[in-house]
Amino acid sequence: MSSLRRRGTRIKKKGEKMKIDKSRIRGISKVEMNCYTLGPFLVHGNYAEGEFDVPLITAEAPLVLAVNRGRSVVYLAGGVGVEILKDEMTRAPLITTFSHDTALRLSGYIKRYFKELKKVAESTTRFGKLTSIDPKVCGSDLYLRIGMSCGDAAGHNITEKAAIAISKHLEDIPEFKGSVYLFSISSNYDTDKKPSRVNLVEGRGKWVKAKAKISREIVEKKFRTLPETIVELNYKKNVIGSRLAGTLGGCNSHYANMVAAVFLATGQDVANVVEGSMGFTTAECTDSGDLLFGIEMPCLICGTIGGGIDVPYAQANLERMRCAGGGNPSGSNAKKFAEVIAAVVCAGELSTMAELTKGGEFIKAHLEMER
């Protein structure tokens, strides 16, 4: 059976227990169900600060090695800086009216009476806060993109309940009663579990950025490549190549791989990997020749309460990450979780981009470990 040695770690196929060289900084340990724990990730964020062990569930063993290599390099470089730019879950009901004029008047009403609708929405939840309503008129129909901050929950159900309450409230307004009704709670203007321009521009879930500065010496020694080569590849692959392909928001190498592995390990809605796959990788050289490497994810949808998170293994993994349950203040645990995920994506993206600068070497790990 083939195997691959990397940094004192040996992984074999079909669940064989891994051996760890304990003389180095902690790396990979395999627990169950192809669940690997990698650590420590060194994170510097507003909510996640310090070292974090992160579980990944994946059948792609080379992914584990790639992320772990990026983790160890970034650790040596001083860690990943992370920042959350926006936190807003969305739901978009479709409201039908009897005329274009009615739809326009209803849109104007929504813009004028946001504070009233905010009270309606927040009456349905303890932790959700209405942050925006964006109405779009199309013929006699009105598409509402309703945004909410949802505490430590991912927020699918919180926003949906609020959207229903807002829609029913609009139906009962005397000026519109009998000429306005909720046709569907989901109109695709959200947009849920599909790539879309609106999510890329406005964000959905956590909008998070991560960056790391890696010295030229570390890049050359650990990755056996040059900062300038990584910068060139990022432009030609993630910018030009994505443009040639008409990629919608996928100006990156493989965010989806890391997002899916963490989501599976922590009970997240795996279908939201679609949004999590969108984002932009940046790479540039400093005047001294060091590498500045970053990732930006406008649509990272994750939570630490609700949904499949109550499954025992998911709870245990979130506890291992120090992110389980509701935070104090509300929302702080979910934001911490999002910052850690971004650090993992940054490490995995950096490692893969470095390996891709070496021509055909990238496939070696896959051929050795997956046959």
Side-chain angles (χ1 to χ4, degrees):
M1 185 178 295
S2 60
S3 64
L4 181 65
R5 287 187 179 275
R6 288 285 173 88
R7 318 185 72 79
T9 303
R10 183 170 179 263
I11 301 177
K12 285 199 172 185
K13 293 171 69 175
K14 296 185 178 178
E16 182 180 0
K17 203 168 185 179
M18 292 188 299
K19 296 178 182 178
I20 299 173
D21 179 1
K22 295 183 180 180
S23 64
R24 65 183 181 91
I25 296 174
R26 289 174 299 155
I28 310 171
S29 60
K30 186 172 180 182
V31 184
E32 59 181 4
M33 300 189 306
N34 286 328
C35 183
Y36 305 83
T37 297
L38 277 64
F41 287 88
L42 184 55
V43 186
H44 305 298
N46 292 322
Y47 300 90
E49 176 60 46
E51 297 183 355
F52 292 84
D53 292 338
V54 180
L56 305 178
I57 288 182
T58 179
E60 187 180 355
L63 172 67
V64 181
L65 291 180
V67 176
N68 191 55
R69 183 176 69 157
R71 174 205 65 79
S72 64
V73 168
V74 171
Y75 189 99
L76 289 173
V80 182
V82 191
E83 180 182 8
I84 291 178
L85 305 180
K86 189 175 182 179
D87 181 12
E88 185 182 67
M89 188 56 172
T90 61
R91 178 57 75 192
L94 169 58
I95 295 177
T96 293
T97 75
F98 287 163
S99 69
H100 181 64
D101 178 67
T102 303
L104 286 174
R105 288 189 293 111
L106 183 59
S107 176
Y109 178 94
I110 290 167
K111 293 174 181 177
R112 290 195 304 273
Y113 291 97
F114 176 83
K115 290 184 179 179
E116 181 179 336
L117 297 176
K118 181 176 173 68
K119 292 178 182 178
V120 172
E122 293 175 8
S123 70
T124 66
T125 171
R126 288 185 296 162
F127 301 108
K129 302 295 180 184
L130 185 69
T131 51
S132 66
I133 305 180
D134 180 20
K136 284 286 188 294
V137 175
C138 185
S140 59
D141 295 324
L142 190 65
Y143 294 75
L144 298 184
R145 194 170 196 262
I146 295 171
M148 299 188 74
S149 62
C150 299
D152 289 293
H156 296 87
N157 293 337
I158 289 175
T159 51
E160 186 159 316
K161 287 191 298 182
I164 292 171
I166 288 172
S167 301
K168 295 299 183 183
H169 175 82
L170 295 174
E171 287 180 344
D172 291 336
I173 296 170
E175 179 184 353
F176 299 106
K177 197 172 182 66
S179 61
V180 166
Y181 66 95
L182 174 63
F183 186 69
S184 175
I185 190 55
S186 176
S187 69
N188 273 11
Y189 186 39
D190 315 38
T191 299
D192 189 36
K193 296 162 186 171
K194 293 167 284 292
S196 71
R197 181 181 177 276
V198 70
N199 283 352
L200 198 63
V201 173
E202 300 295 335
R204 188 169 194 252
K206 308 290 191 294
W207 190 321
V208 59
K209 295 180 69 172
K211 58 183 179 181
K213 181 179 180 181
I214 303 97
S215 70
R216 170 175 290 274
E217 179 184 5
I218 291 177
V219 172
E220 292 180 357
K221 182 177 179 181
K222 299 298 182 180
F223 286 139
R224 295 181 292 109
T225 189
L226 298 173
E228 293 87 352
T229 311
I230 294 175
V231 171
E232 182 181 4
L233 177 66
N234 184 63
Y235 176 71
K236 292 182 175 179
K237 170 183 167 62
N238 290 334
V239 178
I240 300 301
S242 296
R243 185 181 300 168
L244 289 174
T247 303
L248 182 60
C251 297
N252 61 76
S253 178
H254 72 142
Y255 292 4
N257 251 336
M258 285 76 73
V259 174
V262 178
F263 275 19
L264 285 169
T266 56
Q268 308 300 306
D269 189 335
V270 181
N272 286 131
V273 171
V274 175
E275 289 100 319
S277 72
M278 296 198 297
F280 309 93
T281 297
T282 60
E284 58 183 302
C285 286
T286 67
D287 291 340
S288 57
D290 298 330
L291 176 67
L292 287 176
F293 190 88
I295 60 108
E296 184 164 349
M297 307 174 72
C299 310
L300 180 57
I301 298 169
C302 61
T304 58
I305 60 174
I309 295 165
D310 292 335
V311 176
Y313 78 85
Q315 273 292 309
N317 284 334
L318 283 170
E319 287 171 6
R320 186 175 293 116
M321 297 175 68
R322 308 195 304 280
C323 295
N328 185 19
S330 175
S332 56
N333 270 0
K335 289 184 175 71
K336 180 197 295 185
F337 183 40
E339 289 183 342
V340 174
I341 294 174
V344 174
V345 172
C346 187
E349 182 81 350
L350 170 62
S351 179
T352 296
M353 288 296 293
E355 194 67 13
L356 284 170
T357 64
K358 302 171 189 174
E361 288 189 25
F362 183 75
I363 199 173
K364 289 182 179 179
H366 291 268
L367 293 178
E368 290 192 35
M369 301 186 69
E370 294 180 348
R371 285 188 175 181

